[in-house]
Amino acid sequence: MFRLDWRSWGSWRRLAQQLRRSWRSSLQFRTVAITVLASGAAIGLVGVYMSVSVGNDLFQSRLTQILVDSNRATSAAQGILDSSDAVDRVQVQTLLESARTSISAASSSRLVAVFRVPGQESSTVAPQDSSTFGSSTAVISPELREAVQDDADGQFWQSVTLASDDGSSVPGIVVGSQITVPVAGRYELYIGYSLADAESTLLFVQRTLGGAGLALMVLIGAVTWIVVRFVVAPIQVAAQTSQKLASGDLGVRIPEKGEDVIATLARSFNGMADSLQSQIKELADLSEVQQRFVSDVSHELRTPLTTIRLAGDLLYDQRASFPPATERTAELLHTQVERFELLLADLLEISRYDAGSVELESEPTNLVHLAEDVIDGMRSLGDSKGSEIRLAAPGGHLAAEMDPRRVRRIVNNLIGNAIEHGEGKPIVVSVDSNESAVALSVRDYGMGMTQAEITHVFDRFWRADPSRKRTIGGTGLGLAISLEDAAAHRGWLQVWSSPGAGSCFRLTLPRTTGVALTVSPNPLPPADADTAGFVSSHAEPRRDHHA
């Protein structure tokens, strides 16, 4: 019994997978495969048509020859019978043997059968039926015999399968007609002809057509491979060049050869690359100038700001001795100078991110402890706004690789925003972890945001309500910087919000540097959220930073 080896099955599977990969990835392989398959189908159809046509022609030609030979042999035998004056059984039997010998000689066939036509008067001199068909006698069908018996002058034939000397089967034709034996009456004459020679000729033609077809398919495949190689090679060069260009190698170009379509494509591509390189250089120069301007202005403002701060602190310390109006002015000056310092610090930080010069100082840090420190520092501010800050940490008591200064800044910004917009309601800070990530969520129950507002929540200097004052001295860059800090860690900063139901900001960080995030330990929307609220997609920075 046939058994399929699992190792052979595995080899076939690997081969099928490799073919599928080649089909998807190689234009050259796909083109050659389609051409060979289509050509094979066409060659197969033509080959089948030619084989059938040749077979039919061979059969018709051989049939015509057989019918002529059979008619000649029958006429010769009937002539021998008609010229005889035999009257007894022995003479008639001898006469019939002579006629059969004549038939075999005239038809070149050793398969001859003679049967007395049924329905005649019995005769003592009539020879017995005889046949040299041997085991093939059964091929003389009743339908053929009936046709011969009904028409004494007709000639009838039938395609049959004859048994050869070696026991194999070969196609053949049996031709039937009637002869008249003197004294004995009418007899059915059947002559069998083998078509083995025609079959051999047809098999030779089919083998020749098959071999020629296979050779033609191989030649078509080879020619297609060569032609496609000449056509695809420049396309592959263009694809590789475009990949290098997309990866940042702006100086790469496609070689320009000739005046054909490929050369035109190369010139157009190179022109596009030149224009792109020029525009990118201009934008890079402009961005560098802008970043340098922000950085220089921020640095240059520090010196006069320091002087103003010293003078302001002096006035602020002596405000009790001033008239009420002057005292209020000193307090405002002190507050705005502090806010100005924060704004300068944020602008410098944004300029570092814009320049791509941020480097993380990662160390194992417990996010729960970090959150506790931030909450302790902002509890008095929350109390002043009427918001109680709670910490929920069912998990997350494991250290993760992070820059604690930047993560602390993110948590400060998120809790500060929650206090700002929480409308005096409780604020819940949740920390949890799984095997690959740690997450911190800040949930408030304040005014919330609409979907349109969520799309701008991480924009620089954006406020949901422009007429609303910043009551805790923010600069308008807090969430933008927090987003950049999260992205520098390859983390997520996401937000859910619903008008009237509050907001929830979720920070998710990988526990190990460089590990891609797949799922956050904290749910978003939060468990107590209205499912009709809005959730932003992963809030990612506008550029790729080198952290």
Side-chain angles (χ1 to χ4, degrees):
M1 184 174 66
F2 176 74
R3 295 181 62 186
L4 182 62
D5 189 356
W6 66 269
R7 289 171 293 186
S8 300
W9 173 250
S11 300
W12 281 109
R13 287 187 61 186
R14 286 192 295 272
L15 178 61
Q17 292 173 355
Q18 184 176 0
L19 290 176
R20 283 197 296 268
R21 285 194 297 269
S22 299
W23 178 269
R24 290 194 300 267
S25 61
S26 175
L27 176 62
Q28 190 170 0
F29 175 81
R30 192 160 59 247
T31 303
V32 172
I34 292 174
T35 303
V36 171
L37 291 176
S39 301
I43 292 172
L45 291 175
V46 173
V48 169
Y49 173 77
M50 292 182 64
S51 177
V52 171
S53 298
V54 171
N56 290 335
D57 288 343
L58 285 174
F59 180 81
Q60 291 296 331
S61 175
R62 182 65 175 138
L63 176 61
T64 301
Q65 181 183 359
I66 287 172
L67 293 178
V68 171
D69 289 347
S70 175
N71 186 61
R72 183 173 60 248
T74 302
S75 298
Q78 189 64 54
I80 294 174
L81 294 173
D82 291 342
S83 63
S84 173
D85 56 356
V87 292
D88 59 19
R89 181 181 179 86
V90 175
Q91 292 176 341
V92 173
Q93 183 70 35
T94 302
L95 178 63
L96 187 59
E97 290 294 336
S98 299
R100 187 162 42 229
T101 302
S102 174
I103 291 171
S104 297
S107 63
S108 300
S109 173
R110 62 179 181 80
L111 302 177
V112 179
V114 179
F115 305 129
R116 194 166 188 266
V117 176
Q120 301 181 80
E121 295 181 1
S122 60
S123 174
T124 57
V125 299
Q128 296 182 348
D129 296 345
S130 63
S131 173
T132 60
F133 275 80
S135 60
S136 298
T137 302
V139 301
I140 304 175
S141 65
E143 292 80 7
L144 178 59
R145 292 197 61 183
E146 183 178 355
V148 172
Q149 294 167 7
D150 292 342
D151 190 349
D153 298 326
Q155 187 181 40
F156 304 91
W157 63 274
Q158 187 176 40
S159 295
V160 296
T161 300
L162 303 175
S164 63
D165 295 335
D166 58 1
S168 60
S169 298
V170 296
I173 293 177
V174 174
V175 181
S177 59
Q178 284 192 21
I179 57 175
T180 302
V181 179
V183 183
R186 293 181 293 115
Y187 277 76
E188 303 168 33
L189 173 63
Y190 298 99
I191 306 174
Y193 296 87
S194 174
L195 299 181
D197 52 348
E199 184 182 36
S200 299
T201 303
L202 180 60
L203 289 177
F204 173 76
V205 172
Q206 290 175 340
R207 286 194 295 268
T208 303
L209 289 175
L214 290 176
L216 186 58
M217 287 177 61
V218 172
L219 289 175
I220 290 174
V223 172
T224 305
W225 180 271
I226 295 173
V227 173
V228 172
R229 186 174 182 84
F230 280 108
V231 175
V232 172
I235 298 178
Q236 291 176 337
V237 172
Q240 295 170 358
T241 304
S242 63
Q243 289 178 347
K244 293 179 181 179
L245 186 66
S247 64
D249 186 3
L250 301 179
V252 67
R253 296 293 185 271
I254 300 177
E256 300 179 14
K257 299 179 181 179
E259 299 294 333
D260 55 8
V261 176
I262 301 299
T264 303
L265 173 63
R267 285 191 294 271
S268 300
F269 182 91
N270 292 340
M272 179 191 68
D274 292 337
S275 176
L276 183 63
Q277 183 179 21
S278 175
Q279 293 180 13
I280 290 178
K281 186 177 183 304
E282 291 178 3
L283 291 175
D285 293 341
L286 179 60
S287 177
E288 183 179 356
V289 170
Q290 180 184 6
Q291 294 165 12
R292 187 183 302 116
F293 174 77
V294 174
S295 179
D296 291 345
V297 168
S298 301
H299 279 290
E300 291 300 326
L301 286 177
R302 283 192 174 276
T303 301
L305 181 60
T306 302
T307 303
I308 295 173
R309 176 62 182 270
L310 292 174
D313 288 345
L314 179 61
L315 293 175
Y316 184 76
D317 292 340
Q318 297 180 3
R319 67 187 184 281
S321 61
F322 296 154
T326 306
E327 179 182 1
R328 176 59 179 164
T329 301
E331 292 174 351
L332 291 175
L333 177 62
H334 178 77
T335 302
Q336 294 303 314
V337 169
E338 285 186 340
R339 186 167 181 271
F340 196 10
E341 283 185 327
L342 291 175
L343 179 60
L344 276 179
D346 287 349
L347 286 174
L348 281 174
E349 189 68 16
I350 284 291
S351 67
R352 294 190 190 98
Y353 275 114
D354 290 342
S357 60
V358 171
E359 294 183 1
L360 295 181
E361 297 177 2
S362 300
E363 61 183 60
T365 304
N366 189 303
L367 188 57
V368 175
H369 295 163
L370 187 148
E372 289 175 342
D373 293 342
V374 175
I375 291 173
D376 289 341
M378 303 194 72
R379 196 176 299 280
S380 60
L381 179 60
D383 293 341
S384 67
K385 299 295 182 179
S387 295
E388 178 188 1
I389 306 176
R390 305 169 187 168
L391 176 63
H397 294 276
L398 297 174
E401 292 290 332
M402 65 181 74
D403 186 334
R405 180 181 68 86
R406 297 182 185 279
V407 175
R408 185 184 300 273
R409 180 166 59 192
I410 296 174
V411 179
N412 263 307
N413 280 323
L414 296 183
I415 296 178
N417 274 320
I419 295 173
E420 174 83 23
H421 302 284
E423 298 184 335
K425 298 177 181 178
I427 297 171
V428 180
V429 180
S430 303
V431 182
D432 207 343
S433 67
N434 58 25
E435 60 183 6
S436 61
V438 293
L440 178 143
S441 299
V442 179
R443 172 79 162 100
D444 69 71
Y445 299 88
M447 64 183 68
M449 292 180 288
T450 64
Q451 179 63 48
E453 292 171 340
I454 288 178
T455 58
H456 298 285
V457 71
F458 293 104
D459 292 351
R460 299 174 184 180
F461 300 108
W462 181 84
R463 281 189 292 176
D465 185 1
S467 63
R468 184 183 178 93
K469 294 183 179 180
R470 301 186 188 276
T471 60
I472 60 173
T475 63
L477 294 173
L479 287 179
I481 294 176
S482 297
L483 178 65
E484 301 285 358
D485 285 337
H489 288 81
R490 305 301 185 202
W492 300 337
L493 183 56
Q494 301 161 288
V495 58
W496 166 90
S497 189
S498 180
S503 303
C504 181
F505 285 81
R506 182 179 69 182
L507 171 67
T508 307
L509 301 174
R511 289 180 56 185
T512 304
T513 303
V515 175
L517 293 176
T518 57
V519 64
S520 178
N522 281 356
L524 194 72
D528 61 350
D530 179 6
T531 56
F534 305 106
V535 182
S536 75
S537 59
H538 292 179
E540 298 178 352
R542 299 171 181 81
R543 65 200 67 81
D544 185 19
H545 297 299
H546 302 286

